[in-house]
């Protein structure tokens, strides 16, 4: 397979350049994953009769491969990152395609595990390639555009589901096959059509865990814990409490996506202009308010309109998480990006392995509102950590503590 050095890639046609490949992958992955997510809650409730505990187990199983994303370090000793990412994308698409063929608890968990291996290994490699291939000065804006492209692809999927689900009497089987099959074909095309891009900084292929990255690791851990509440229970609440149908759930996702398509590039510019510290402080203050309002839906019996608004606002705030990536890009040694991406992805999923089950039990046996109240505490913990990011992070200046030491030395 043809090798092209990253610095020579500008000589290729625009559609064959590294950034173009990142955009292709950014649009292909959500077609399978977003379809799986959009239909999941209705599928498991209608077909498999899942309750809160069951959905907690499902998402715990889904997150196990994320916990073992550190295995990417071993795999890239034998497989190029670019190839590994696309092979993982093929697995995600293929597993999504056959999801509806296994409507039992055991079948759903098995297929979920396979698709999750594809998703998490793809995401680990994808994050590494983004930080290696995108210039630091353009990273926030480009990452924002990549988020926007993924949201646009997802919007097309959701729009098709809304317009065709009832009109053509679609089934879970048909939709899963079409979405998963499309993602698989795009990934195979990318494997064949694009050259292998050679980064100027060879990546370490060993386990990397550095003390000076501790704040990045902590932000990743809290991000993973906090996200579980939203990913697992926000949409589940819409189906269980407000009895949303498939098309209504998809319409909710569509509204959030339209807002994200517009907002993501703007958020990238905001991060570039104001810096990671301020962007993350705004995100975590906003998420604290949003999760408190989610709890109010149960304790104060607020209605469905507020729930919909909160869901959309939540998505916007989560897009600011790209600031965690660019913070790491600024403090990292270039050769550390790939192994640290794997380590960080594992750290991000430590809580994800056990939290969905525990929160599912809490949801069923105590109070759904208590789940969101705990999320408020998580957001406040993240807010504290974000205040430790310096205004201008760099190697040797990873936290505000180093800045104070430097000032004292002067």
């Amino acid at each position: 397979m043809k090798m092209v050095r990253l610095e020579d890639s500008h000589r290729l046609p625009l559609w064959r350049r590294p950034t173009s490949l990142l955009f292709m992958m950014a649009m292909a992955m959500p077609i399978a994953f977003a379809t799986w997510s959009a239909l999941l809650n209705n599928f498991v409730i209608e077909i498999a009769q899942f309750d809160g505990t069951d959905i907690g187990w499902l998402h715990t199983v889904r997150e196990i491969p994320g916990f073992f994303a550190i295995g990417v370090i071993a795999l890239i000793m034998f497989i190029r990152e670019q190839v590994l990412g696309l092979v993982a994308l093929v697995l995600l698409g293929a597993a999504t395609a056959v999801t509806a063929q296994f409507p039992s608890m055991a079948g759903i968990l098995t297929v979920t595990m396979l698709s999750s291996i594809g998703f998490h290994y793809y995401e680990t490699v994808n994050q590494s390639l983004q930080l290696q291939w995108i210039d630091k000065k353009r990273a926030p804006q480009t990452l924002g555009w990549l988020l926007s492209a993924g949201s646009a692809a997802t919007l097309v999927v959701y729009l098709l589901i809304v317009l065709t689900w009832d009109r053509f009497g679609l089934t879970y089987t048909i939709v899963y096959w079409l979405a998963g099959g499309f993602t698989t074909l795009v990934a195979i095309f990318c494997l064949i059509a694009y050259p292998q891009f050679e980064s100027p900084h060879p990546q370490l292929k060993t386990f990397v865990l550095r003390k000076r990255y501790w704040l990045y690791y902590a932000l990743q851990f809290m991000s993973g814990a906090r996200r579980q509440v939203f990913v697992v229970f926000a949409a589940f609440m819409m189906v269980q409490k407000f009895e949303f149908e498939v098309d209504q759930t998809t319409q909710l996702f569509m509204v959030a996506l339209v807002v994200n398509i517009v907002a993501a590039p703007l958020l990238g510019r905001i991060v570039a202009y104001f810096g990671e510290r301020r962007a993350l402080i705004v995100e975590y203050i906003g998420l604290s308010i949003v999760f408190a309002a989610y709890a109010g839906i149960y304790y104060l019996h607020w209605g469905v309109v507020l729930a919909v608004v909160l869901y959309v606002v939540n998505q916007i705030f989560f897009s600011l998480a790209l600031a965690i990536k660019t913070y790491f890009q600024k403090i990292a040694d270039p050769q550390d990006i790939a192994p640290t991406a794997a380590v960080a992805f594992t750290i991000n999923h430590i809580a994800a392995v056990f939290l969905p089950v525990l929160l599912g039990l809490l949801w069923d046996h105590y109070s759904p509102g208590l789940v969101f109240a705990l999320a408020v505490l998580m957001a406040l913990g993240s807010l504290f950590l974000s205040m430790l990011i310096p205004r201008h992070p760099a190697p040797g200046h990873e936290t505000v503590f180093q800045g104070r030491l430097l000032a004292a030395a002067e």
Side-chain angles (χ1 to χ4, degrees), residues 90 161 163 166 168 212 247 260 268 301 314 331 335 341 357 362-363 365 385 395:
V90 170
I161 292 174
L163 293 178
D166 288 328
F168 297 106
R212 68 185 188 88
D247 57 340
N260 257 358
H301 307 291
N314 210 339
I331 67 171
Q335 68 270 21
V357 170
L362 196 65
W363 183 281
H365 300 291
L385 291 173

Side-chain angles (χ1 to χ4, degrees), residues 134-148 259-280 315-327 329-330 391:
I134 301 172
D135 182 75
K136 290 182 182 180
K137 295 179 180 178
R138 297 184 295 108
Q141 298 94 319
T142 305
L143 290 175
W145 280 110
L146 286 169
L147 282 173
S148 184
V259 174
N260 257 358
I261 290 171
V262 176
L266 297 176
L267 294 175
R269 290 186 179 184
I270 288 172
V271 173
Y273 184 80
F274 290 103
E276 289 79 10
R277 174 189 169 92
R278 293 177 182 173
L280 290 174
Q315 288 276 38
I316 296 173
F317 281 127
F318 273 138
S319 294
L320 278 172
L322 65 87
I324 299 178
K325 292 183 183 180
T326 58
Y327 162 66
Q329 188 184 39
K330 290 179 179 179
R391 179 68 182 88

Side-chain angles (χ1 to χ4, degrees), residues 119-333:
F119 172 78
H120 286 98
Y121 276 54
Y122 161 79
E123 277 295 307
T124 302
V125 172
N126 185 49
Q127 289 188 27
S128 171
L129 294 179
Q130 287 176 353
L131 298 182
Q132 291 179 63
W133 291 356
I134 301 172
D135 182 75
K136 290 182 182 180
K137 295 179 180 178
R138 297 184 295 108
Q141 298 94 319
T142 305
L143 290 175
W145 280 110
L146 286 169
L147 282 173
S148 184
S151 296
T154 307
L155 177 62
V156 172
V157 171
Y158 290 165
L159 186 61
L160 289 173
I161 292 174
V162 169
L163 293 178
T164 61
W165 183 265
D166 288 328
R167 181 176 300 178
F168 297 106
L170 296 180
T171 63
Y172 294 109
T173 298
I174 293 172
V175 176
Y176 277 133
W177 269 108
L178 288 174
F182 183 83
T183 295
T184 302
L185 291 175
V186 171
I188 293 173
F189 169 79
C190 290
L191 276 169
I192 297 170
Y194 284 87
Q196 291 294 306
F197 298 110
E198 196 73 51
S199 173
H201 303 288
Q203 297 298 292
L204 294 176
K205 296 178 174 61
T206 57
F207 181 82
V208 172
L209 191 67
R210 303 197 190 282
K211 288 182 180 179
R212 68 185 188 88
Y213 298 158
W214 74 266
L215 181 55
Y216 173 65
Y217 299 145
L219 287 167
Q220 285 285 3
F221 175 80
M222 292 305 299
S223 175
R226 190 181 61 253
R227 183 174 290 272
Q228 290 309 304
V229 178
F230 177 70
V231 170
V232 179
F233 295 104
F236 189 73
M237 175 188 69
M238 304 305 290
V239 176
Q240 188 185 67
K241 181 176 178 62
F242 298 112
E243 299 180 348
F244 272 37
E245 301 293 338
V246 167
D247 57 340
Q248 293 174 311
T249 304
T250 307
Q251 287 172 26
L252 171 63
F253 292 168
M254 284 175 58
V255 172
L257 281 168
V258 170
V259 174
N260 257 358
I261 290 171
V262 176
L266 297 176
L267 294 175
R269 290 186 179 184
I270 288 172
V271 173
Y273 184 80
F274 290 103
E276 289 79 10
R277 174 189 169 92
R278 293 177 182 173
L280 290 174
I281 286 174
V282 169
E283 177 190 357
Y284 300 139
I285 290 174
L287 287 176
S288 300
I289 296 171
V290 167
F291 285 130
Y294 269 131
I297 289 174
Y298 283 93
Y299 292 125
L300 302 177
H301 307 291
W302 292 337
V304 65
V305 174
L306 177 62
V308 169
V309 171
L310 291 173
Y311 188 91
V312 175
V313 172
N314 210 339
Q315 288 276 38
I316 296 173
F317 281 127
F318 273 138
S319 294
L320 278 172
L322 65 87
I324 299 178
K325 292 183 183 180
T326 58
Y327 162 66
F328 174 65
Q329 188 184 39
K330 290 179 179 179
I331 67 171
D333 292 333

Side-chain angles (χ1 to χ4, degrees), residues 66-67 69 209 213 216-222 224-225 340-352:
F67 180 73
L209 191 67
Y213 298 158
Y216 173 65
Y217 299 145
L219 287 167
Q220 285 285 3
F221 175 80
M222 292 305 299
T340 305
V343 170
F345 222 69
T346 293
I347 291 172
N348 184 277
H349 287 76
I350 290 174

